[in-house]
Amino acid sequence: MALAELAAAGASFAAFRGLHRGLELLPSPRLAAPQDRWTWRNICASFVHSLLSGAGALLWMAHYSHLVADFTHSCPPRTVALVSLSIGYFLADGVDLLWNQTFGQSWQMLCHHAMSVSCLAMAVLPGHCVSVSVVPLLLEVNSACLHFRTLLLLSGQTSTVVFGLASWATLATLLVFRLLPLGWMSLLLLWQHHHFPLALSALWGVGLFTITIMSIKLGIDLVVSDGLWVQTQLFISRKKKAKSDWGHGSGDATRLPYREDASPKRQD
C-alpha cells in the first residue's frame, strides 16, 4: 500500500486498540467468568467496527454503485478510506485475540483476519485498486446484527423480545448482506478474472470460499442450534390451535398464544 493507505490503516489500528483499552475502564454486565467480560469488551469493539464499515459501505453503494463492476477507472478516495478502516480493525482485533486468548482458542478468527487483511490490502494497491473491494464490507451489516445479538446473549437477555428480533434480523441480513454479496462476488470473479491480478484472484477465491462456508454454518446454527426453527413452529402451532378453538366456540382461545407456559424456551 502507498503511504496514505498505510497511514489510514495505522490510524484505524491505533483507534481500535485505544477502544479496547478504553472499554476496560467501563462497567460491563455481571457475567459469570472474567473471560466473558473480556469477550463482552471485544464484541463491543467489533460492533463499533461493523456499524462504521457497514454504514460506510451502504453509503458508498448509494453514491458509487456504478463503479462496482468497473475495472478501468481508479477507486474513489472513500474506497481506500473504508478498506483501510477495516484493515486497521482486523490487525487491532488480532492483537487483542493474541493478548487475551491462546492460539488454540483464536486460530480460526486469526486465520480469518489474516486472509481479510491480505485480500483487502491487495485490492487497494496503487495502480490495482478495484472498487469491488467495498462489496465485502456489506457483510458488516450482518455482523452488526450478530454482534448486537451476542451482546444480549452475554448480558442474559435471551428471553426478551429484543433478543428475538435481533436473532431474526441476524438471519435476514445474513441472506441479504452476506450470502447474496458473496455469491455475486464469486460469479464476478469467475467471469471477470482477467481484470484482476493473478495473486488477487487466488486470494479472493480462497477467501470467498472460506467465508461462504462459515456463513452457511452460521445460518444453520441460527436456525437449528439457536432454536429459531423450533420457535417458529411453536408459534404457528399456537396460531392454528387458537383458530381451531375459536371455530369451536371456545372463549379462551384468544388467550392461548399468550400463556406463559406456552412460550418456547431458548437454549443458548
Side-chain angles (χ1 to χ4, degrees), residues 216-229:
I216 293 174
K217 182 180 182 300
L218 173 62
I220 294 174
D221 288 342
L222 284 171
V223 174
V224 179
S225 301
D226 289 1
L228 287 182
W229 175 257

Side-chain angles (χ1 to χ4, degrees), residues 22-236:
L23 288 171
E24 295 179 0
L25 305 177
L26 298 179
S28 58
R30 293 183 178 179
L31 306 174
Q35 185 66 13
D36 288 337
R37 288 191 285 272
W38 169 81
T39 301
W40 185 84
R41 294 193 297 266
N42 181 268
I43 295 296
C44 282
S46 299
F47 182 54
V48 171
H49 165 256
S50 295
L51 288 177
L52 294 175
S53 293
L58 290 174
L59 290 174
W60 189 98
M61 293 294 294
H63 289 85
Y64 303 110
S65 59
H66 61 286
L67 295 177
V68 168
D70 185 0
F71 305 101
T72 61
H73 297 85
S74 299
C75 296
R78 296 179 184 179
T79 305
V80 176
L82 276 173
V83 173
S84 298
L85 171 70
S86 290
I87 290 175
Y89 160 75
F90 287 129
L91 293 174
D93 193 58
V95 172
D96 194 48
L97 289 170
L98 287 172
W99 189 263
N100 292 279
Q101 290 187 326
T102 64
F103 183 78
Q105 293 174 313
S106 60
W107 71 270
Q108 289 183 329
M109 289 303 300
L110 291 174
C111 289
H112 169 271
H113 288 0
M115 187 174 297
S116 299
V117 169
S118 300
C119 293
L120 293 176
M122 290 194 66
V124 294
L125 284 172
H128 296 92
C129 179
V130 287
S131 296
V132 75
S133 60
V134 175
V135 177
L137 301 184
L138 290 174
L139 276 64
E140 296 300 331
V141 177
N142 172 245
S143 295
C145 295
L146 179 63
H147 294 325
F148 179 65
R149 178 184 179 278
T150 304
L151 291 175
L152 292 175
L153 178 64
L154 290 172
S155 302
Q157 303 296 318
T158 56
S159 61
T160 63
V161 174
V162 176
F163 182 83
L165 292 175
S167 296
W168 284 107
T170 301
L171 183 61
T173 55
L174 182 141
L175 297 174
V176 177
F177 291 104
R178 185 174 290 268
L179 294 181
L180 286 181
L182 286 172
W184 182 84
M185 289 182 62
S186 298
L187 292 175
L188 183 68
L189 185 63
L190 181 63
W191 292 338
Q192 304 289 340
H193 63 88
H194 56 280
H195 288 293
F196 296 92
L198 179 60
L200 181 61
S201 298
L203 271 176
W204 276 55
V206 174
L208 287 172
F209 176 78
T210 303
I211 296 175
T212 300
I213 296 300
M214 295 174 64
S215 299
I216 293 174
K217 182 180 182 300
L218 173 62
I220 294 174
D221 288 342
L222 284 171
V223 174
V224 179
S225 301
D226 289 1
L228 287 182
W229 175 257
V230 175
Q231 184 178 3
T232 302
Q233 293 304 308
L234 288 173
F235 178 78
I236 294 175

